[in-house]
Amino acid sequence: MTIKNEKDLVAMRRIGRLCGDIRDAMCAAAEPGMTTAELDDIGRAMLDRAGAISAPEGEYNFPGATCISVNEVVAHGIPGPRVLQRGDLVNVDVSASLDGYFADTGASFVLGGFEASRPEIEKLCHDGKKVMLRAVKTVRHGTPLREIGLTVENFARKNGYTLIRNLASHGVGRSLHEEPKTIATWDEPRERRTLKKGQVITIEPFLSLGSEWATEDKNDGWTLYADTGAPTVQYEHTVVVTPKGYEILT
């Protein structure tokens, strides 16, 4: 999507803010003993109150309003009977549409706070958010798309992390996944595209303590696991490209 007028921008701000609010509310509400289905119900209720539609459910018939991934699951975790426990590494990914406009966001956290986890997991979460924001700060009209992945890759290498290399950022706005498709959050030397004013994209690196690939659960066709089982975090914002930089919508 390319924002062409104030109406588009206002609508994108509205759905972006809603997705961000739902993300934050779900992260705050999660507690030991709660099932992932119960946590998903919180997101669904907020979507319903706003008159919004779950994007994965509405676009792809995903079996949940949001994606909730725990520990070895890196993405597309299906809400269900799994009981959350203190010390779990949890990711909440919220994408939705309102009046035909889409936004997408996510965050990872340790249930019970960092005192419930190992120091390296606390650092992983801190650095996952940090590198996502570094990548966001590269965004502006004319930026080579390669710069996003190069920024993330340089950070990962310097700090001893790996990156999940088959889950990428993407365009968003009039649908959940659209042009520019497959924006690598690792260095991709063949990337020749540049960002244009008004484009709406996600920035969502998957930073890991050892995994490099997400493998699909053949039984449900959705759940994606870290190939080595190593702890992995995802942080995601939807942003719009401006002449001098960016605006975070989520």
Side-chain angles (χ1 to χ4, degrees), residues 6 10 20 25 28 35 37 41 56-57 69 104 136 157 199 214 218 222 226:
E6 187 67 16
V10 168
T35 66
D41 286 343
E57 191 174 60
S69 304
D104 193 0
V136 167
R157 285 180 175 173
Q199 280 184 323
K218 301 301 181 183
W222 284 109

Side-chain angles (χ1 to χ4, degrees), residues 139-141 195-200 239-243 245-246:
V139 171
R140 62 177 45 82
H141 176 72
L195 289 170
K196 309 298 182 187
K197 180 180 70 174
Q199 280 184 323
V200 185
V239 301
V240 58
V241 182
T242 66
Y246 59 90

